Amino acid sequence: MAKIFIIMGKSSSGKDTLYKKLIEDEDLNLKNVVMYTTRPIRSNEIDGVSYHFTDEDKLTGFINENKLVELREYNTVHGVWKYFTVDDGQIVLDTNNYLVIGTLEVFNKYKLYYGKDVCVPIYIEVEDGLRLARALERERMQRLPKYAELCRRFLADNKDFSEENIEAAGIEKRYINTDIEECFEEIKKDIEKIL
């Protein structure tokens, strides 16, 4: 049975780096799923690669066509930003295994849409002080840093990824990302056991 591996964790836990390494690993042969967002594109992002950058009208169209897998809405300091997955033909479970970056909410909604036996959580953890330092370093590299939004995301993560929410999602294993290579190797071994 094909699987959808969902990598998740608080902001600046290393999800993007681990995602990239796992997608590029030829042994695993995982396919990516590009999610959609209504937020503005960042200077280091590419439309159709990082996300499909879209607008409210397109989102409404997907909803009307019953193609929405999941939708999250964040009231940021810059307005409401929406992130979502569309059943747009990217996921074909008959032929491939997939890797998705998400949240606990994404994981729970994917389980409802595709089935709990198909969805496998990969939960990344990093000590909060290290996460904050990483987030600040990344934000400084932006053409127009959004420090207030960084702080909002950091605080929201404590609520979104509370111990109660992690337990309710059925997540048992945690991958501690203090060393990116060690964390990658541990995740890769666990994925290989499943595939």
Side-chain angles (χ1 to χ4, degrees), residues 3 6 12 40 44 73 86 90 100 117 132 151 155 167 176:
K3 300 291 183 188
I6 301 169
S12 299
N44 62 335
E73 191 172 298
V86 175
Q90 290 185 73
V100 171
D117 294 336
L132 186 56
C151 293
L155 294 172
E167 185 179 329
I176 309 302

Side-chain angles (χ1 to χ4, degrees), residues 91-108:
I91 297 177
V92 182
L93 291 172
D94 295 340
T95 57
N96 297 305
N97 295 292
Y98 296 88
L99 182 65
V100 171
I101 294 180
T103 62
L104 288 173
E105 185 178 354
V106 169
F107 176 61
N108 288 327

Side-chain angles (χ1 to χ4, degrees), residues 11-12 39 41-45 77-78 81 131-154:
S11 57
S12 299
R39 79 156 165 75
I41 191 168
R42 293 178 183 152
S43 60
N44 62 335
E45 294 176 320
V77 295
H78 302 284
W81 291 350
R131 275 194 324 105
L132 186 56
R134 288 177 181 176
L136 190 55
E137 182 181 331
R138 181 176 70 187
E139 201 60 38
R140 281 186 180 132
M141 295 188 312
Q142 297 298 314
R143 189 172 60 81
L144 295 170
K146 296 178 172 78
Y147 297 115
E149 175 57 17
L150 178 155
C151 293
R152 185 207 62 80
R153 274 196 327 264
F154 188 84

Side-chain angles (χ1 to χ4, degrees), residues 32-88:
N32 70 320
V33 177
V34 181
M35 293 186 177
Y36 292 71
T37 185
T38 61
R39 79 156 165 75
I41 191 168
R42 293 178 183 152
S43 60
N44 62 335
E45 294 176 320
I46 300 168
D47 187 23
V49 176
S50 306
Y51 290 95
H52 293 291
F53 293 92
T54 190
D55 58 26
E56 290 289 334
D57 289 340
K58 281 273 201 175
L59 172 57
T60 301
F62 293 135
I63 292 169
N64 291 340
E65 295 168 16
N66 292 318
K67 291 187 173 184
L68 208 61
V69 175
E70 58 84 24
L71 168 65
R72 290 154 284 130
E73 191 172 298
Y74 301 100
N75 189 11
T76 76
V77 295
H78 302 284
V80 175
W81 291 350
K82 296 178 181 176
Y83 294 80
F84 50 100
T85 306
V86 175
D87 189 352
D88 59 0

